[in-house]
Amino acid sequence: MTLTVGTSAAPAGDAILRRQRIRESAARTYARSFPIVPVRANGMTVEGADGRRYLDCLSGAGTLALGHNHPVVLQAIRRTLDSGAPLHLLDLATAEKDDFTTALFESLPESFAAKARIHFCGPAGTDAVEAALKLMQTATGRRGALAFTGAYHGMTAGALAVTGNTAVKAPLPSAAEVTRLPYPYSYRCPFGIGGERGADLAAAYTERLLDDPSGGVLPAAAMILEPVQGEGGVVPAPDGWLREMRRITAERGIPLIVDEVQTGVGRTGRMWAVEHSGIEPDAMVLSKAIGGSLPLAVIVYREEYDGWRPGAHTGTFRGNTLAMAAGAATLRHIAANGLVARAEAVGARIAARLDGARDRLPVIGDVRGRGLMLGVELVDPAGEPDSCGARPADPGLAVRVREACLARGLIVELGGRHDAVLRLLPPLTITDEQADAVLERLCEAVEFAMRETPSA
């Protein structure tokens, strides 16, 4: 690919960054981690105004299932623009919405889709979480929710209430009664045991707490969980534990909401992450990749819960025609080209290579994930191990590794309980050569950061 950025691009980029720092809010996030000005992007490659190229393992926080500007997505957008179709119609019926809904339902587990309804939400996943919670509160007449340690569901009031990160919750009043339950995290097990036994204890604790008349937990409107926690540190839920959560909620008449905002559309090596365990939830929250890189969010749920009144959850931007066209094209392209199996195979190879590097890179405490949703937890190898053998997290090292990655042309972001987990979310279209380049650059960055002495 020929770079066409002129010599004045770098100074212009510096000026853009300077104006961003002056004009934008203190809440900006990714802009702090990656002080670059992207000017064009293709597939997994992003070009900055300074002429540098980067391999993007952030992919819009998992939004870009096919990478940047995939031809299938661009063709769908151009076709829709050229057709003269209205781009904004609130929630009116359109051919593009009908086609998207058909493509989405065809991709869902057959038994779930057969008796499902869809609701189009505001364009962000957090609004879909709000909608799912409101739907179940309406259906059950209850108010409280069951949520998990390490959870991330969004930044609006209800979604934030079921999110686990205390740093973002602390300044704000609680929006709902939420019971926090232990999420299985084998490397840093909440029970100090790890493995299958830790997951079994987490399930047993949940069941006994809900059945304890003095446990302080009122009957809940819903349980909400992520099949793989993303912001929580790329922590996959064991399939057996997920089946136990489905059993426990079903037996007690508690609707189960599964948040597939980041795990959906082939990311974990299945089209939808619930397919690993075979569970059928009562509702699924979907966003990010379903819009083919454009803003779109929906909930899909069992039809018996469709009891809210017209206008119970509205929003001006529920009819993003371009996103529906791009999303339908993305879903069909992934299914037709075996990209789900590809994600599983390439993800397993990357994880195995990183796990194999732990002997020479002892700061890698754990490598985990599913498909192309991977996490590398960085630790202090000289620190005292806990009862599961995990060393203390090293967030300072993680920041240095992220900076060293960027210097080597690799974009990775951090997450996890202590912001010490390198998160890898490359597009499903990643080539073998790109996967090798990611591994090489990442390992070089870790080696460099290990040697670097933090400034006093």
Side-chain angles (χ1 to χ4, degrees):
M1 183 161 31
T2 302
L3 186 63
T4 58
V5 178
T7 56
S8 63
D14 292 341
I16 290 170
L17 290 172
R18 184 167 58 252
R19 287 193 292 271
Q20 182 184 46
R21 288 192 295 270
I22 295 170
R23 294 171 174 173
E24 292 191 22
S25 81
R28 66 190 187 279
T29 53
Y30 299 113
R32 295 179 185 275
S33 303
F34 311 109
I36 60 177
V37 178
V39 294
R40 60 180 57 80
N42 181 268
M44 195 176 171
T45 303
V46 172
E47 294 181 13
D50 59 359
R52 296 196 61 201
R53 296 178 183 176
Y54 304 85
L55 288 177
D56 185 4
C57 272
L58 181 56
S59 298
T63 299
L64 304 171
L66 300 181
H68 295 273
N69 293 321
H70 192 280
V72 164
V73 172
L74 296 182
Q75 182 182 21
I77 292 172
R78 291 189 181 109
R79 182 175 62 247
T80 304
L81 289 171
D82 292 343
S83 74
L87 300 183
H88 181 262
L89 276 176
L90 301 171
D91 67 348
L92 299 184
T94 65
E96 291 77 17
K97 179 191 282 189
D98 181 64
D99 186 56
F100 168 79
T101 303
T102 298
L104 178 62
F105 274 46
E106 287 173 349
S107 77
L108 292 168
E110 186 175 352
S111 59
F112 179 62
K115 296 182 179 180
R117 294 288 180 93
I118 186 170
H119 181 77
F120 288 83
C121 306
T126 188
D127 187 66
V129 170
E130 299 282 350
L133 293 171
K134 286 169 62 176
L135 174 71
M136 297 313 180
Q137 288 169 338
T138 301
T140 63
R142 308 171 197 152
R143 291 191 56 79
L146 305 174
F148 291 88
T149 54
Y152 179 82
H153 297 290
M155 299 298 282
T156 50
L160 192 60
V162 292
T163 289
N165 189 325
T166 56
V168 294
K169 292 158 63 79
L172 305 171
S174 176
E177 180 179 339
V178 175
T179 298
R180 193 71 53 184
L181 300 168
Y183 191 94
Y185 180 4
S186 186
Y187 188 65
R188 299 193 186 279
C189 177
F191 301 103
I193 295 174
E196 291 185 11
R197 181 60 178 151
D200 291 343
L201 280 176
Y205 175 87
T206 297
E207 186 164 28
R208 293 189 181 190
L209 178 64
L210 297 182
D211 290 345
D212 186 349
S214 297
V217 181
L218 296 173
M223 172 186 283
I224 184 168
L225 59 81
E226 300 157 273
V228 181
Q229 290 190 338
E231 299 293 330
V234 195
V235 183
D239 292 337
W241 178 83
L242 281 171
R243 288 189 283 267
E244 279 296 279
M245 292 304 101
R246 176 67 284 190
R247 178 188 65 80
I248 289 167
T249 53
E251 290 177 355
R252 289 155 184 80
I254 301 171
L256 176 63
I257 302 168
V258 174
D259 183 339
E260 291 252 20
V261 168
Q262 193 165 103
T263 56
V265 194
R267 171 62 55 188
T268 69
R270 296 290 187 276
M271 182 61 83
W272 307 101
V274 292
E275 295 178 273
H276 289 284
S277 62
I279 68 167
E280 185 176 304
D282 297 299
M284 291 172 64
V285 180
L286 313 177
S287 188
K288 290 191 185 292
I290 66 165
S293 77
L294 299 178
L296 188 63
V298 304
I299 56 172
V300 184
Y301 52 93
R302 289 168 54 189
E303 60 187 2
E304 58 261 40
Y305 291 103
D306 195 32
W308 50 16
R309 295 180 179 179
H313 193 86
T314 62
T316 302
F317 294 103
R318 292 189 291 152
N320 190 334
T321 304
L322 290 180
M324 292 172 187
T330 296
L331 289 166
R332 291 187 173 117
H333 183 80
I334 288 171
N337 290 274
L339 294 184
V340 175
R342 171 77 180 164
E344 183 176 39
V346 177
R349 184 164 68 87
I350 293 174
R353 292 270 298 275
L354 288 170
D355 195 55
R358 292 173 63 186
D359 286 342
R360 64 184 178 89
L361 302 174
V363 296
I364 297 180
D366 193 33
V367 178
R368 55 181 179 261
R370 267 190 153 155
L372 287 172
M373 186 174 181
L374 298 168
V376 181
E377 184 156 354
L378 300 179
V379 301
D380 176 3
E384 189 70 23
D386 65 14
S387 59
C388 293
R391 306 281 179 177
D394 194 336
L397 172 67
V399 170
R400 298 198 301 275
V401 171
R402 179 180 62 192
E403 292 172 349
C405 283
L406 193 65
R408 287 159 177 77
L410 178 63
I411 297 174
V412 298
E413 185 53 303
L414 307 180
R417 307 302 206 273
H418 305 283
D419 280 332
V421 178
L422 301 172
R423 300 182 58 206
L424 303 179
L425 292 164
L428 277 57
T429 53
I430 184 173
T431 66
D432 291 340
E433 292 77 15
Q434 287 171 331
D436 290 340
V438 167
L439 286 162
E440 181 180 356
R441 295 178 195 186
L442 181 59
C443 289
E444 282 183 3
V446 172
E447 279 189 295
F448 174 82
M450 284 172 54
R451 297 193 303 268
E452 186 183 48
T453 302
S455 57

